[in-house]
Amino acid sequence: MTWDLFIEQESHKAYYKSLMDFIKSEELTHDILPPKGYRLSCFNLTPYKDIKVVILGQDPYHNYHQAHGLAFSVLNDKYPPSLKNIYKELISDLGVSYPKTGNLTSWAKQGVFLLNTVLTVRAHEPLSHQKKGWEIFTLEAIKEINKKNDGVVFILWGNHAIRFSKYIDSSKHKIITSVHPSPLSARRGFFGSKPFSKTNEYLKSYGYEPINWDLS
């Protein structure tokens, strides 16, 4: 499987055609984020064959100059609250210095598939493209990753992401869960959960190169 083939297969399905029609109509009257060239960034930056880790988000950041197609990642230097908490846990877990960027492309290029379950949003209107078809598309992507032989780490933060665990075979993949890193919940079990070191320990147990999470 390649992502190009996957997208080609999905593009012929009725839900996908309806989704694309919806987005085209939205673009006539609203600013849609991320910009068109970035919406499939996670698929473009992390080839199917290279996936070691999946981090699942919900929908893109809805302010300008933030979302660029990678879950939790931003293009500007104004880190959203959830990303700040991810960084706090990263520093606590691995002892690295505070990240100098909110752009997680370096993770994506190492095999970290940073997937939101919804891939577009109206500017300043969170969840405005929920239940329009993206969830079907991204679930099919998760099912494809689950077909890989073994050794993928799925990091699921919060109830929305944890619901996808039923589509993952835990006998051949590693599932790491905790509450969401948002300020509303991070102190109820995200802090101290050590997802980054746990991921690397698992990858090394399979003989895979660990992820260099350091963004400093």
Side-chain angles (χ1 to χ4, degrees):
M1 172 61 69
T2 65
W3 285 135
D4 285 345
L5 177 59
F6 169 78
I7 293 166
E8 169 70 15
Q9 289 173 346
E10 295 304 303
S11 71
H12 295 293
K13 296 180 181 179
Y15 87 86
Y16 191 92
K17 293 176 182 177
S18 176
L19 171 63
M20 292 300 111
D21 288 343
F22 166 75
I23 291 173
K24 285 176 187 172
S25 69
E26 285 281 278
E27 288 173 330
L28 297 175
T29 53
H30 298 86
D31 287 340
I32 304 305
L33 301 174
K36 195 172 286 185
Y38 289 106
R39 291 171 191 168
L40 296 176
S41 290
C42 63
F43 294 88
N44 295 330
L45 288 168
T46 314
Y48 177 82
K49 64 181 178 58
D50 296 338
I51 290 174
K52 298 177 180 177
V53 182
V54 177
I55 297 180
L56 198 59
Q58 192 160 3
D59 77 330
Y61 297 123
H62 54 86
N63 292 324
Y64 295 112
H65 311 302
Q66 288 189 309
H68 63 118
L70 302 178
F72 296 105
S73 182
V74 289
L75 285 176
N76 63 19
D77 59 1
K78 296 177 181 175
Y79 305 164
S82 291
L83 184 59
K84 287 181 181 177
N85 285 337
I86 290 168
Y87 284 175
K88 285 179 184 177
E89 180 59 20
L90 175 67
I91 293 162
S92 170
D93 187 4
L94 300 180
V96 296
S97 299
Y98 197 82
K100 293 178 178 175
T101 179
N103 188 332
L104 305 181
T105 295
S106 71
W107 292 2
K109 288 182 175 179
Q110 295 178 74
V112 182
F113 192 58
L114 296 159
L115 178 68
N116 281 316
T117 55
V118 176
L119 299 185
T120 54
V121 67
R122 285 182 186 175
H124 313 306
E125 295 186 43
L127 300 175
S128 49
H129 284 184
Q130 192 175 235
K131 298 179 181 176
K132 302 298 182 182
W134 279 127
E135 293 91 341
I136 302 171
F137 178 77
T138 52
L139 175 57
E140 289 304 313
I142 290 166
K143 288 178 177 177
E144 280 298 330
I145 298 167
N146 183 58
K147 291 177 184 176
K148 288 171 74 78
N149 289 336
D150 53 37
V152 176
V153 181
F154 289 83
I155 298 177
L156 308 177
W157 292 326
N159 290 333
H160 174 80
I162 290 169
R163 284 202 296 269
F164 287 84
S165 60
K166 64 185 175 186
Y167 301 104
I168 302 162
D169 184 349
S170 60
S171 70
K172 63 178 184 174
H173 302 299
K174 174 76 170 177
I175 302 174
I176 296 173
T177 64
S178 79
V179 299
H180 196 273
S182 78
L184 295 173
S185 57
R187 298 192 183 281
R188 298 203 305 267
F190 177 73
F191 293 136
S193 60
K194 299 185 180 299
F196 307 102
S197 59
K198 287 177 180 175
T199 293
N200 279 354
E201 287 166 13
Y202 182 80
L203 293 175
K204 285 189 282 189
S205 76
Y206 268 90
Y208 299 149
E209 191 73 22
I211 305 299
N212 178 11
W213 300 102
D214 190 348
L215 296 166
S216 62

